[in-house]
Each structure stands twice: as C-alpha cells, then as structure tokens.
Amino acid sequence: MSKTRLDPSIVHDDESDVVLDVRDLVVEFPVGRGDIVHAVSGLDLQLMAGETLGILGESGCGKSTAGRAIMQLPPPTGGTVLFNGTELTKLAPRMVRRKRARMQMIMQDPISSLNPRRKVKDLVAEGLAIWGFDSALNDGKDQDTVVRELLEAVGLEPDVVWDRRPHELSGGQCQRVCIARALMMRPRVMICDEPVSSLDVSVQAQILNLLEETKERFALSMVFIAHDVSVVKNISDRVMVLYLGKACEIVPSEEMHLTSVHPYTRMLLASIPGAETEADAEASSTLSTSAKATELPSPLNPPSGCRFRTRCPLATELCASEEPQLREIAPGHLVACHHVATGVEALPA
C-alpha cells in the first residue's frame, strides 16, 4: 500500500496548519456505589492538515472513547476540543451539530451503524437531508448525481446497490457505504474508529487502500483508531500509543519499529506475528518474564504514577510516586517514561 508521508521532523508551530487541537481531554463515567471509570485522562493531540494520526493500544485503553469525545458523543468531562479554531465544548448543542458536519466519524461496526430500514441511496444522502443540498457547491449537479459519484468513488456500483438495504450487503460493502455517507458532508477531518476490525483480511486491505485514496482525493485529515499494530503503522504518519487512558509515546510511523523506546510500545511491536526481529524477540521475552501482571489494570482504580508500571520490567519507586510526562526526545518523537535512556539499553531497537 503506497502512501505519501509527511516529514516526521515537522514541528507543529504553525497554528494555521492545525485542523484539530485537543488539550487535556478527560472522559469519566460514574458507575454504581460512587465509583468512577477513568476512561481518558489528560489526553493532548494535534492533527495537522493532510495528516493521518494513528491511535494505538489494547482493548479498553480508551481509544474509541477518545474519538467519540472529540466528536462530542458525549461531550468530554474536561478539556478543550478546537476544530478549525472553534472550541466545540463551549457551543450550544445545535451549533455543535452544525460545526461537526465537517468532522465525520466511521463507526467500528459498519452494519449496526446503518439504519436497517433505509436504502443505500437514502443512507448516503442522509446528511444532505438534514443540512440541505446546495447544487452550487456541487458544480450544478443534482443530488442523485452526487450520490452516484460518491458510490463510484468508494468502489460500489450505483445501479447495483442503489435500492438495497444494509442486510443485503456484505460487511465490506456496508463499510464503503459508511465512508460514502461521511464524504457526502465534505468533511475536513475523518475519525475512523476500528474501521477494518470486523472485516476479512482481504477486505481490510481494500478498505485501507480506499481510505488512502479518498484522503488524497478529498484533502482529508484522519484520526485512525485501531488495536492492530501493523495496520496503524502502515496507514499513519504519526502514531500515538495509549495505555489506560494516557498517551505513553508519540512516534513517526516510518521508523516506529526502530525508534520507539517505551516498553509498552516495544511490547506491542513484538506482538506482530512473523515480524519479530531478534531484538524484538529479546524485548518481548524480557517484558513477558519481568512484568508483574499481564492484564490491563482497572480504570476504576488506575495505578499511581506511571500507569504501565504494574507490567513494566523497568519500574522503580519513582514510577509509583511520580507520573511521567510526555517529553520530546527527537523531532516529532515524544515519550512518557522516567527510564527512557535505560529503556533503550534494556529493549534494543
């Protein structure tokens, strides 16, 4: 899969290039007996124009929750979300919906995200039915023509799927309909929440290639959420690694397998079947034999200090008492680890 990558050494100082700026995002859910689920805790991210930012981590680390909170579904507990310079968290609900029309989301389950009673032609045009169709913005074309062109752009035959309902389509076709529906609103940002996790491997490749093509054709910026390391690495320009609601490393994807230094990131890379180098195998062995636990701690009561310390072979008393902050160790490469220097030695790249 070919892709045009951004310069990984880019410094994000030009605010005009930032289409999505999320600061100190917090998402918490109250549960019974006064307990609180700390799903996302103090997440910061910037998405540049034309960039794909991958968000990677195990199930339950807060990836999908962060994506939905950025979309205000529901609004986050705390923090700010600036889209095209507009603070979404302070807008009235109707204004949020209007601004959010240029920020679309592809849901994790393509079939259940589509209304089973509606035909494909109506599903794709649903956004236009809500916000109105302007032929002047579509070179004077009528709505049906625009819908047909979008279906062709995502690899579907309009005459074949036009009057079909979701249950008459395959999973891959439903995902293409979801992509067409999102593109209909001419978004500037697309948030893809596990868009290929429920699809066969051969269909996954088709959808990933389609996302790359549509990104270039429609000048999109994307947030790509997934737990598959190889998928995120191949489609993204930068990768943010999440663990229990916290970002532990942000690294350019091009040399991710060589430059990543956080023990958790190295563990994820070593988990790719058939892709282990000798160093990755050694790192995986070190982590698996030295880690104190194998399961993700509960977000109801996350560990103090570094949240990865209960599984980290490098953990010390400092890790329990002080939370590591993201710091830049190379252009575009940030890591939250007290022992990043010793971590490089213990987990060779």
Side-chain angles (χ1 to χ4, degrees):
M1 178 174 56
S2 63
K3 65 192 299 297
T4 302
R5 294 189 178 275
L6 299 182
D7 180 357
S9 65
I10 186 171
V11 179
H12 300 159
D13 291 333
D14 187 353
E15 294 297 327
S16 64
D17 289 337
V18 179
V19 294
L20 185 64
D21 191 357
V22 179
R23 301 293 175 93
D24 198 25
L25 188 73
V26 176
V27 183
E28 297 176 344
F29 300 107
V31 292
R33 305 175 188 174
D35 293 329
I36 295 178
V37 174
H38 303 274
V40 180
S41 303
L43 187 67
D44 295 335
L45 67 85
Q46 282 188 329
L47 182 66
M48 313 305 291
E51 181 186 32
T52 298
L53 174 66
I55 300 183
L56 174 67
E58 295 171 283
S59 296
C61 72
K63 307 184 301 296
S64 297
T65 301
R68 294 178 67 89
I70 291 171
M71 291 288 295
Q72 311 296 299
L73 295 171
T77 307
T80 61
V81 179
L82 275 76
F83 172 58
N84 282 345
T86 300
E87 171 55 75
L88 298 183
T89 58
K90 299 186 181 303
L91 296 179
R94 179 170 177 78
M95 287 304 299
V96 168
R97 291 194 295 271
R98 183 171 293 278
K99 291 289 184 182
R100 195 172 53 197
R102 297 296 306 279
M103 184 168 60
Q104 293 292 308
M105 188 169 190
I106 301 174
M107 299 298 182
Q108 185 168 347
D109 186 347
I111 298 177
S112 64
S113 66
L114 298 174
N115 188 329
R117 298 184 177 183
R118 307 199 72 182
K119 297 178 179 179
V120 168
K121 62 180 180 182
D122 299 317
L123 289 168
V124 175
E126 188 172 10
L128 301 180
I130 296 172
W131 297 110
F133 176 77
D134 189 346
S135 61
L137 298 177
N138 292 279
D139 300 325
K141 300 171 184 175
D142 59 46
Q143 179 171 307
D144 282 357
T145 300
V146 175
V147 172
R148 285 179 174 274
E149 289 179 350
L150 269 181
L151 288 173
E152 290 175 351
V154 298
L156 294 173
E157 288 287 343
D159 293 334
V160 174
V161 302
W162 192 255
D163 289 315
R164 290 187 180 180
R165 292 179 170 83
H167 72 275
E168 300 175 291
L169 304 175
S170 68
Q173 287 175 319
C174 285
Q175 195 63 287
R176 291 171 188 268
V177 172
C178 291
I179 295 172
R181 180 176 62 173
L183 292 174
M184 179 58 77
M185 298 308 298
R186 299 294 189 263
R188 193 170 184 199
V189 170
M190 184 100 80
I191 298 179
C192 306
D193 182 14
E194 303 268 13
V196 297
S197 62
S198 61
L199 305 177
D200 293 337
V201 174
S202 60
V203 180
Q204 286 184 12
Q206 296 174 17
I207 297 300
L208 291 173
N209 286 328
L210 173 61
L211 288 172
E212 281 297 315
E213 293 167 5
T214 53
K215 174 191 169 185
E216 297 297 326
R217 178 174 177 180
F218 294 93
L220 297 174
S221 301
M222 290 200 308
V223 175
F224 190 92
I225 300 168
H227 62 268
D228 190 315
V229 182
S230 57
V231 168
V232 174
K233 180 178 179 296
N234 286 331
I235 200 171
S236 305
D237 297 300
R238 290 184 299 139
V239 177
M240 171 184 284
V241 181
L242 284 191
Y243 183 82
L244 207 62
K246 285 277 188 179
C248 57
E249 189 165 14
I250 302 174
V251 57
S253 63
E254 188 73 34
E255 300 295 330
M256 179 181 176
H257 61 295
L258 297 175
T259 61
S260 60
V261 293
H262 197 283
Y264 180 58
T265 309
R266 301 304 304 176
M267 176 188 289
L268 293 176
L269 289 169
S271 70
I272 303 175
E276 301 92 341
T277 63
E278 184 177 344
D280 285 332
E282 181 181 345
S284 180
S285 175
T286 301
L287 286 166
S288 61
T289 56
S290 304
K292 303 169 187 176
T294 57
E295 295 296 328
L296 205 67
S298 172
L300 287 170
N301 186 26
S304 62
C306 176
R307 295 190 176 186
F308 185 62
R309 67 177 175 82
T310 57
R311 300 171 68 184
C312 181
L314 308 177
T316 63
E317 292 183 2
L318 176 63
C319 302
S321 61
E322 184 177 332
E323 181 180 341
Q325 302 299 315
L326 279 173
R327 57 191 175 91
E328 192 169 42
I329 60 173
H333 187 180
L334 293 84
V335 64
C337 180
H338 294 304
H339 307 291
V340 64
T342 58
V344 175
E345 297 172 1
L347 303 173

